[in-house]
């Protein structure tokens, strides 16, 4: 008979004991988290406050920025606490809450990126019918469905994992993740594995197939269209493609890291591998959309210029 215990906490084994470097790591992570908060909040406020930006091509990225805040807030505060901690323990409810936040963030990101590709497809392939095809009601429905479907999807994952009987409580990572908890199970995980495959298809492959299809149609229109059409496609699709490629790269990092035991490794390496997805993506998105979308860039530029002028006048 397999022995199992009801644990009240998990221990994160992805940290090594380098106490001298803890303050440095804490300051670096805190700086990154603050940067993410400021950059994404700035663009959310800019888009919400300016009526000229109340269009689908700006509203969808705004949903991405909200998701960056959601995911990073579910990840960084606990990471900051664990960097300074000596025990690296986290309660079971808090661990599953972090799993819900991080996995929901990843799922929403995929869905919104797929929705943005659909929006760009309509704008470039059907420019005359775009306003009738992409109404504000449709925008709201697409965003709401993306968030609700993602949260429901991840809630099922968490509920299945939370009922498992565990033979250990050491997670070989710097944050709580579902794969590590399932590996600790000494009860049958067949249902978890089957649902994991279904979730992978729904979360990753279906959006990627749709994105690939839309871009094939966009490329077809660009090759057969005018120079102006190609320029419009490049200017509007570049931020989305950069975001998509970076996100795919981050997913590969997570998959590689989950297949290796990082317990006892140098502290910085597992932190970089584990946090890349929730660090670079929330920084890249506001930078790419803020710089490449001229309306957003001009409003941000005028905002900072006016602030600097006021500071100079007050001196």
């Amino acid at each position: 008979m397999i022995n199992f215990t009801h644990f009240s906490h998990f221990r994160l084994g992805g940290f090594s004991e380098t106490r001298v470097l803890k303050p440095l790591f804490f300051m670096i992570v805190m700086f990154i988290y603050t940067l993410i908060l400021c950059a994404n909040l700035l663009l959310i406020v800019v888009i919400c406050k300016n009526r000229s930006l109340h269009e689908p091509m700006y509203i969808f990225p705004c949903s991405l920025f909200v998701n960056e805040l959601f995911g990073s807030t579910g990840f960084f505060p606990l990471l900051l606490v664990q960097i300074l901690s000596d025990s690296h323990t986290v309660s079971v409810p808090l661990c599953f809450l972090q799993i819900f936040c991080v996995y929901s963030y990843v799922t929403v990101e995929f869905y919104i990126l797929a929705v943005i590709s659909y929006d760009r497809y309509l704008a470039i392939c059907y420019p005359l019918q775009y306003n009738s095809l992409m109404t504000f009601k449709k925008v709201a429905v697409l965003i709401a469905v993306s968030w609700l479907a993602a949260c429901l999807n991840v809630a099922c994952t968490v509920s299945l994992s939370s009922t498992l009987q565990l033979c250990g409580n050491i997670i070989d990572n710097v944050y709580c993740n579902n794969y590590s908890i399932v590996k600790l199970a000494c009860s049958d995980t067949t249902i978890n594995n089957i649902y994991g495959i279904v979730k992978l298809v729904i979360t990753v492959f279906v959006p990627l197939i749709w994105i690939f299809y839309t871009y094939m149609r966009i490329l077809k229109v660009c090759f057969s269209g005018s120079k102006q059409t190609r320029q419009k496609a490049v200017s509007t699709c570049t931020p989305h493609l950069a975001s998509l490629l970076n996100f795919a790269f981050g997913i590969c990092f997570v998959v590689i890291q989950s297949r290796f035991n990082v317990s006892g490794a140098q502290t910085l390496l597992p932190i970089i591998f584990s946090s890349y997805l929730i660090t670079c993506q929330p920084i890249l998105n506001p930078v790419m959309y803020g710089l490449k979308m001229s309306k957003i860039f001009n409003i941000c530029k005028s905002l900072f210029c006016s602030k600097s002028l006021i500071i100079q006048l007050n001196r």
Side-chain angles (χ1 to χ4, degrees), residues 110-253:
F110 263 120
Y111 289 168
I112 296 296
L113 287 173
V115 168
I116 292 176
S117 71
Y118 173 63
D119 176 65
R120 295 299 83 210
Y121 160 69
L122 292 181
I124 295 169
C125 298
Y126 302 97
L128 299 179
Q129 298 90 358
Y130 176 74
N131 290 330
S132 60
L133 292 173
M134 186 59 72
T135 62
F136 280 104
K137 182 179 179 180
K138 192 171 185 178
V139 170
V141 169
L142 288 171
I143 292 175
V145 169
S146 297
W147 279 86
L148 290 174
C151 291
L152 181 62
N153 194 336
V154 177
C156 293
T157 301
V158 172
S159 62
L160 287 172
S161 299
S162 62
T163 59
L164 291 174
Q165 299 170 351
L166 306 179
C167 293
N169 69 333
I170 300 177
I171 297 175
D172 290 327
N173 212 318
V174 295
Y175 71 102
C176 296
N177 67 91
N178 189 67
Y179 178 76
S180 297
I181 291 178
V182 173
K183 286 200 301 183
L184 296 173
C186 47
S187 57
D188 185 30
T189 60
T190 303
I191 297 177
N192 298 74
N193 294 332
I194 293 173
Y195 184 74
I197 295 172
V198 173
K199 183 179 181 295
L200 182 67
V201 172
I202 296 173
T203 303
V204 179
F205 290 109
V206 171
L208 285 180
I209 290 171
W210 175 249
I211 291 170
F212 180 78
Y213 168 77
T214 56
Y215 271 97
M216 287 300 99
R217 295 293 301 272
I218 289 172
L219 285 174
K220 183 179 178 181
V221 171
C222 289
F223 284 127
S224 61
S226 62
K227 183 180 178 181
Q228 186 179 2
T229 303
R230 288 193 290 271
Q231 289 176 341
K232 178 184 177 182
V234 169
S235 63
T236 59
C237 294
T238 297
H240 178 254
L241 283 173
S243 178
L244 180 64
L245 291 174
N246 183 70
F247 194 65
F249 189 57
I251 291 291
C252 291
F253 254 10

Side-chain angles (χ1 to χ4, degrees), residues 16-24 86:
S16 63
E17 297 302 323
T18 53
R19 297 184 180 181
V20 178
L21 297 177
K22 280 184 178 181
L24 176 61
D86 293 325

Side-chain angles (χ1 to χ4, degrees), residues 39-40 42-43 47 57-58 61-62 64-65 68 109 113 116 215 233-247 276 279-298 300:
N40 286 279
L42 171 65
L43 292 189
I47 293 172
M57 68 178 298
Y58 302 109
C62 186
L64 272 184
F65 304 145
E68 312 305 350
E109 195 83 3
L113 287 173
I116 292 176
Y215 271 97
V234 169
S235 63
T236 59
C237 294
T238 297
H240 178 254
L241 283 173
S243 178
L244 180 64
L245 291 174
N246 183 70
F247 194 65
Y276 180 89
T279 300
C280 292
Q281 188 74 0
I283 293 175
L284 177 71
N285 276 343
V287 169
M288 287 301 298
Y289 284 99
L291 292 177
K292 288 294 181 180
M293 291 191 159
S294 57
K295 275 190 177 182
I296 296 179
F297 177 75
N298 291 333
C300 290

Side-chain angles (χ1 to χ4, degrees), residues 35 55 88 278 313:
L35 180 63
E55 299 176 10
H88 305 303
I278 317 179
L313 291 173

Side-chain angles (χ1 to χ4, degrees), residues 246-260:
N246 183 70
F247 194 65
F249 189 57
I251 291 291
C252 291
F253 254 10
V254 171
V255 172
I256 292 170
Q257 190 262 350
S258 67
R259 293 298 182 268
F260 295 93

